[in-house]
């Protein structure tokens, strides 16, 4: 019998969002073969079949900033958040949500943070992408937004997206922008490996730029075990031992190896979506604890039937990686503790 689980990496598509993707040329988002099918009913059926007590919904790539019209993007983000809040209100024991933000418009995004985290909708946190029109987490332009999240002790779900050069996204045909920005984009869909590279790029940027240290009350959930991050952390430490500092000319805060280790262990949680057993977990546990691992499925962009098979594989393989006594902690308890800490602030 499946153990009770909380899924922190689960997506939704409101009817309005799905139509917006189609209307603006996102028929193959980031090289995916199609726009995912989703409904509350199909999601609940998947949860019931796989022992998932609760799912925390979020909008996946390409997000809501899909045009050069920022007013449209802001309105679309609000619609998605209101839709998710309504689902949560209808099924409070089964669904939560991470709110999307209309980046790169920082002012509009701060206003949305105030609305969804301080208002009656009570989002469980916010979802950000590994880059926003080519802007990564260590960039100073994001500091006012991160300061707002820090003041609220907020949870940030960091989801990968294909790398994009800043001039291309939202300015012309979506497929052309994707092909121009991503190496090998014409050969392989971005989620196969570009997502893993971009997650690591974004997390390393916020670590090396001192952003995570500066905003120490933000709790981060990093998708897919951090992508290739476990393979690169020691590389960063090696350069630091050479005497390399990473001030980058962006007003960054100099950081030490010890500070980065503390951030990795204290402020970052990692979901297991994407069939990571055992190799990614082995690397991850070198610098974080089992108490910072979370269950995730990535439905419906990973189709429900496929995700069900991955859950089965995880149930069979995870005990060999972490031991039977850690399973409830990873499947449910860690997420429950993290999410309840947000509700209590």
């Amino acid at each position: 019998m499946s153990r009770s689980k909380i899924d922190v990496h689960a997506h939704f598509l409101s009817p309005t969002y799905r139509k917006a993707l189609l209307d603006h040329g996102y028929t193959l988002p980031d090289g995916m073969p199609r726009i995912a099918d989703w409904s509350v009913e199909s999601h609940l059926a998947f949860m019931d079949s796989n022992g998932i007590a609760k799912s925390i919904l979020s909008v996946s790539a390409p997000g809501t900033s899909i045009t050069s019209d920022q007013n449209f993007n802001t309105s679309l983000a609000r619609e998605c958040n209101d839709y998710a809040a309504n689902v949560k209100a209808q099924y409070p024991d089964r669904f939560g949500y991470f709110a999307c933000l209309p980046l790169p418009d920082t002012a509009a995004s701060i206003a949305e943070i105030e609305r969804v985290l301080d208002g009656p909708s009570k989002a469980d946190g916010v979802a950000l992408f590994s880059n926003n029109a080519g802007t990564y987490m260590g960039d100073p332009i994001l500091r006012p937004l991160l300061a707002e999240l820090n003041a609220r002790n907020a949870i940030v779900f960091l989801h990968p997206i294909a790398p994009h050069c800043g001039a291309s996204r939202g300015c012309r045909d979506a497929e052309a922008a994707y092909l121009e920005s991503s190496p090998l984009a014409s050969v392989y869909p971005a989620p196969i490996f570009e997502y893993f590279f971009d997650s690591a790029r974004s997390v390393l940027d916020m670590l090396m730029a001192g952003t995570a240290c500066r905003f120490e009350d933000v709790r981060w959930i990093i998708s897919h075990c951090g992508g290739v991050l476990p393979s690169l952390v020691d590389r960063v430490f090696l350069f630091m031992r050479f005497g390399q500092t990473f001030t980058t000319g962006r007003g960054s805060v100099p950081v030490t190896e010890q500070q980065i280790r503390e951030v990795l262990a204290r402020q970052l949680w990692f979901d297991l979506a994407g069939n990571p057993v055992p190799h990614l977990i082995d690397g991850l546990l070198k610098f974080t604890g089992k108490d910072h691992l979370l269950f995730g499925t990535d439905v419906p962009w990973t189709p429900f039937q496929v995700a069900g098979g991955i859950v089965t594989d995880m149930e069979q393989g995870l005990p060999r990686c972490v031991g039977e006594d850690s399973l409830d902690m990873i499947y449910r308890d860690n997420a429950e503790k993290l999410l309840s800490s947000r509700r209590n602030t």
Side-chain angles (χ1 to χ4, degrees), residues 92-332:
D93 296 329
R94 305 304 306 273
F95 291 110
Y97 79 102
F98 296 131
C100 55
L101 301 179
L103 286 170
D105 188 326
T106 305
S109 296
I110 289 174
E112 190 65 359
I113 287 171
E114 294 171 349
R115 192 178 79 93
V116 298
L117 294 185
D118 299 344
S121 67
K122 292 299 180 187
D124 295 278
V126 302
L128 300 180
F129 290 113
S130 54
N131 79 83
N132 296 277
T135 299
Y136 286 86
M137 285 297 111
D139 197 297
I141 198 171
L142 295 177
R143 288 177 192 162
L145 181 144
L146 292 173
E148 293 292 331
L149 294 170
N150 192 70
R152 292 165 175 79
N153 197 29
I155 298 168
V156 175
F157 175 65
L158 189 67
H159 191 279
I161 197 169
H164 282 269
C165 57
S168 67
R169 189 159 187 238
C171 296
R172 60 183 198 286
D173 177 73
E175 186 174 357
Y178 165 65
L179 292 173
E180 180 179 313
S181 301
S182 303
L184 298 177
S186 63
V187 184
Y188 308 108
I192 295 178
F193 51 78
E194 291 287 1
Y195 275 16
F196 276 35
F197 296 153
D198 215 59
S199 281
R201 183 179 293 116
S202 193
V203 174
L204 286 173
D205 187 34
M206 77 175 183
L207 292 174
M208 294 157 66
T211 299
C213 292
R214 185 190 295 263
F215 302 109
E216 61 182 11
D217 290 328
V218 176
R219 282 83 50 76
W220 301 84
I221 298 175
I222 313 300
S223 298
H224 304 298
C225 281
V228 299
L229 179 68
S231 301
L232 298 175
V233 170
D234 285 336
R235 180 78 170 168
V236 172
F237 293 157
L238 176 63
F239 272 74
M240 296 180 82
R241 290 164 195 167
F242 290 164
Q244 177 74 55
T245 58
F246 305 107
T247 53
T248 68
R250 297 189 299 185
S252 301
V253 177
V255 292
T256 65
E257 177 181 332
Q258 181 59 32
Q259 286 175 309
I260 291 178
R261 288 187 181 277
E262 289 173 0
V263 168
L264 288 167
R266 186 179 71 86
Q267 287 178 249
L268 272 59
W269 282 253
F270 298 86
D271 78 50
L272 306 185
N275 201 17
V277 180
H279 303 296
L280 291 182
I281 293 178
D282 290 345
L284 200 58
L285 290 176
K286 293 179 181 178
F287 55 81
T288 195
K290 296 174 186 178
D291 59 337
H292 278 230
L293 300 183
L294 306 169
F295 174 77
T297 64
D298 206 4
V299 292
W301 292 96
T302 298
F304 289 118
Q305 184 174 359
V306 175
I310 294 173
V311 172
T312 299
D313 290 344
M314 186 182 297
E315 289 175 336
Q316 294 172 354
L318 195 59
R320 294 193 294 271
C321 295
V322 301
E324 289 281 347
D325 58 344
S326 298
L327 295 178
D328 286 336
M329 180 171 64
I330 293 170
Y331 282 139
R332 184 193 65 240

Side-chain angles (χ1 to χ4, degrees), residues 1-14:
M1 182 176 179
S2 294
R3 293 172 182 262
S4 177
K5 306 174 184 72
I6 295 177
D7 185 355
V8 300
H9 189 152
H11 301 302
F12 76 101
L13 295 89
S14 73

Side-chain angles (χ1 to χ4, degrees), residues 45-96:
F46 167 78
M47 292 167 64
D48 291 341
S49 297
N50 290 279
I52 299 171
K54 191 169 191 175
S55 292
I56 312 301
L57 301 175
S58 59
V59 171
S60 186
T64 57
S65 294
I66 56 175
T67 77
S68 57
D69 181 349
Q70 191 56 51
N71 289 331
F72 176 89
N73 298 339
T74 299
S75 177
L76 183 60
R78 287 197 163 205
E79 188 279 333
C80 287
N81 290 336
D82 289 346
Y83 184 93
N86 184 58
V87 172
K88 178 178 179 177
Q90 286 185 304
Y91 302 93
D93 296 329
R94 305 304 306 273
F95 291 110

